[in-house]
């Protein structure tokens, strides 16, 4: 059988595009290298708990069209992400807000907090930050930097803050309200039943083949369809001929604990340099579960090497220049269209992935209807 579209990758981008194309009468085949659909939002059931296998994913958006779209397929609970920072046993609320400042300095009013931060910024005396450390000090002062930014950031990037570029933190969210909600977006939650319920609904009635490596038999798969939507790594598509794009990767240690509640929240960040993991996720708190046991995942940031799972693009000048060369090669492809976080070498929140896929579907499917 020949298809209108071959979609390479059964993650969020590929699943949304496949749904849109199918609903407009196009024939689609989705192939996926992994043994499951959903990409990095895939959930694994352990002890009756939906475990976010590739790290915590909280759906949040201010895009009304995207919120309406996902609610066509699943219902969302009212989960609000309120992570806690653990600095050597001292607990602070994130993002930085009045609860954080009260715990840090004992201040009560927003004016007191503003004055304290202003004093420390003035003491730092940095006019033109040359690195991440100087940038942070110029934004929030020494106390917040030392306890809540420095250690976590160095673990996350595997480098001293003085060796990281300032642009990584162009700004830091500071709230002078007693509000622990991590996101400002009006819509937030977790799909009831986990993210697999969303992906299954998107791919309902669409042919999917798992454990299938497109690049291993590219010419064979290309013959199967008129167009190819490729959501894998763009550098891998071109055989890394320009070099490897760099990422930060993650490693997880997941444990089943014989206790009902381990840490009292879904996410706890460990901001001291000595603790080897960056955060612990307790998955049952995403869905208000009451099972007698709990499941936690310790998350470690690691240096990426070819063959590892790519998570966060290294958004520096060298890699952006390399990506632009791959983009030039991609534009010469008449049959293959690149999309998603790996195809576009971008870190995408889930709502932006969906919006991007919807826009691509609208553009391509509209073009097919245009008379020439």
């Amino acid at each position: 059988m020949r298809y209108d579209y071959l979609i390479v990758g059964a993650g969020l981008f590929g699943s949304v595009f496949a749904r849109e194309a199918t609903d407009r009468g196009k024939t689609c085949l989705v192939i996926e290298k992994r043994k499951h659909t959903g990409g990095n939002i895939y959930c694994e059931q352990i002890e009756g708990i939906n475990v976010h296998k590739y790290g915590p994913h909280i759906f949040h958006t201010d895009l009304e069209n995207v919120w309406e779209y996902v609610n066509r397929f699943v219902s969302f609970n009212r989960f609000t992400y309120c992570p806690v920072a653990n600095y050597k046993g001292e607990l602070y609320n994130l993002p930085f807000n009045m609860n954080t400042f009260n715990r840090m300095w004992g201040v009560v009013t927003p004016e007191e907090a503003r004055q304290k931060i202003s004093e420390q910024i003035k003491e730092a005396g940095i006019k033109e930050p040359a690195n991440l450390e100087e940038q942070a000090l110029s934004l929030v002062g020494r106390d917040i930097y030392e306890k809540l930014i420095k250690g976590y950031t160095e673990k996350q990037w595997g480098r001293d803050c003085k060796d990281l570029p300032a642009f990584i933190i162009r700004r830091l969210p500071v709230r002078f309200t007693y509000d622990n909600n991590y996101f400002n977006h009006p819509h937030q939650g977790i799909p009831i039943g986990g993210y697999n319920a969303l992906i299954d609904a998107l791919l309902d009635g669409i042919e999917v083949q798992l454990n299938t490596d497109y690049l291993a038999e590219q010419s064979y798969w290309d013959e199967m369809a008129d167009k190819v939507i490729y959501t894998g790594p763009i550098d891998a598509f071109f055989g890394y001929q320009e070099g490897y794009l760099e990422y930060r990767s993650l490693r997880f240690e997941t444990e089943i604990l014989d206790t009902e509640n381990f840490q009292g929240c879904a996410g706890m960040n460990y901001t001291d340099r000595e603790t080897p993991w960056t955060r612990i996720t307790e998955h049952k708190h995403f869905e208000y579960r009451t099972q007698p046991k709990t499941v936690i995942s310790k998350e470690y940031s690691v240096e990426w090497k070819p063959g590892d799972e790519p998570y966060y693009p290294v958004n520096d000048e060298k890699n952006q220049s390399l990506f632009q060369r791959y983009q030039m090669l991609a534009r010469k492809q008449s049959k293959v269209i690149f999309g998603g976080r790996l195809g576009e070498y971008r870190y995408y929140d889930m709502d932006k992935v969906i919006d991007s896929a919807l826009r691509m579907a609208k553009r391509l499917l509209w073009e097919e209807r245009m008379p020439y």
Side-chain angles (χ1 to χ4, degrees), residues 114-346:
R114 289 180 189 276
Q115 184 176 345
K116 190 71 176 178
I117 292 173
S118 296
E119 288 173 358
Q120 294 203 355
I121 292 174
K122 186 176 180 180
E123 287 174 8
I126 298 167
K127 301 299 182 184
E128 296 184 12
N131 53 52
L132 188 147
E133 176 172 287
E134 292 184 358
Q135 176 78 333
L137 291 171
S138 69
L139 291 171
V140 292
R142 183 159 300 277
D143 288 347
I144 294 175
Y145 168 69
E146 292 286 352
K147 289 192 173 184
L148 303 181
I149 298 173
K150 178 177 168 60
Y152 186 89
T153 303
E154 290 180 348
K155 288 188 291 187
Q156 190 175 40
W157 291 97
R159 293 162 179 81
D160 190 286
C161 285
K162 293 177 182 177
D163 298 325
L164 290 168
F167 69 75
I168 290 179
I169 53 168
R170 288 190 176 94
R171 64 181 187 87
L172 285 168
V174 176
R175 295 180 189 162
F176 295 97
T177 59
Y178 289 91
D179 179 9
N180 295 327
N181 182 359
Y182 193 77
F183 301 112
N184 286 318
H185 295 149
H187 306 298
Q188 182 177 170
I190 304 290
I192 295 173
Y195 285 99
N196 295 1
L198 172 60
I199 295 297
D200 290 347
L202 287 167
L203 293 175
D204 183 43
I206 299 172
E207 187 176 350
V208 179
Q209 292 188 27
L210 303 177
N211 300 304
T212 302
D213 187 349
Y214 166 75
L215 294 178
E217 298 180 273
Q218 184 176 344
S219 58
Y220 168 79
W221 291 111
D222 284 348
E223 290 299 315
M224 298 282 282
D226 296 331
K227 291 284 186 181
V228 176
I229 306 298
Y230 177 80
T231 69
I234 189 171
D235 54 350
F237 180 89
F238 292 105
Y240 307 104
Q241 66 186 62
E242 299 291 325
Y244 287 94
L245 289 166
E246 295 177 311
Y247 294 84
R248 287 295 289 176
S249 192
L250 299 174
R251 178 173 64 85
F252 301 94
E253 291 180 356
T254 298
E255 306 173 42
I256 302 170
L257 302 180
D258 193 15
T259 182
E260 185 179 353
N261 186 353
F262 172 71
Q263 64 185 19
C265 62
M268 184 170 292
N269 293 4
Y270 286 77
T271 59
D272 62 281
R273 190 67 181 87
E274 293 73 25
T275 302
W277 52 84
T278 54
R279 62 179 167 182
I280 293 180
T281 300
E282 187 169 7
H283 301 270
K284 71 189 312 179
H285 292 298
F286 290 127
E287 299 183 66
Y288 315 112
R289 297 299 185 98
T290 58
Q291 291 89 342
K293 295 185 179 182
T294 194
V295 180
I296 66 168
S297 295
K298 294 177 180 176
E299 184 175 318
Y300 300 80
S301 182
V302 296
E303 200 74 36
W304 177 86
K305 62 182 184 301
D308 290 345
E309 182 64 32
Y311 282 89
Y312 303 110
V314 178
N315 189 18
D316 59 13
E317 290 183 11
K318 180 185 77 171
N319 282 284
Q320 282 305 309
S321 175
L322 179 57
F323 173 62
Q324 287 169 13
R325 296 202 295 274
Y326 279 120
Q327 272 191 312
M328 293 176 64
L329 294 173
R331 292 190 187 106
K332 297 176 182 178
Q333 296 286 319
S334 59
K335 183 170 187 170
V336 181
I337 302 151
F338 298 80
R341 67 182 183 91
L342 299 178
E344 300 178 57
Y345 194 61
R346 291 181 60 184

Side-chain angles (χ1 to χ4, degrees), residues 88-136:
K88 300 181 179 180
E90 298 176 13
L91 302 185
Y92 297 90
N93 293 106
L94 297 174
F96 311 139
N97 65 63
M98 285 304 300
N99 290 307
T100 317
F101 308 143
N102 176 265
R103 178 74 173 90
M104 184 80 69
W105 301 307
V107 298
V108 175
T109 68
E111 182 58 35
E112 290 175 317
R114 289 180 189 276
Q115 184 176 345
K116 190 71 176 178
I117 292 173
S118 296
E119 288 173 358
Q120 294 203 355
I121 292 174
K122 186 176 180 180
E123 287 174 8
I126 298 167
K127 301 299 182 184
E128 296 184 12
N131 53 52
L132 188 147
E133 176 172 287
E134 292 184 358
Q135 176 78 333

Side-chain angles (χ1 to χ4, degrees), residues 350-368:
M350 287 180 284
D351 64 328
K352 301 303 190 298
V353 172
I354 293 169
D355 187 56
S356 178
L358 290 173
R359 289 173 183 274
M360 178 183 285
K362 182 178 180 180
R363 175 174 59 83
L364 292 178
L365 298 170
W366 176 257
E367 285 177 354
E368 291 180 5

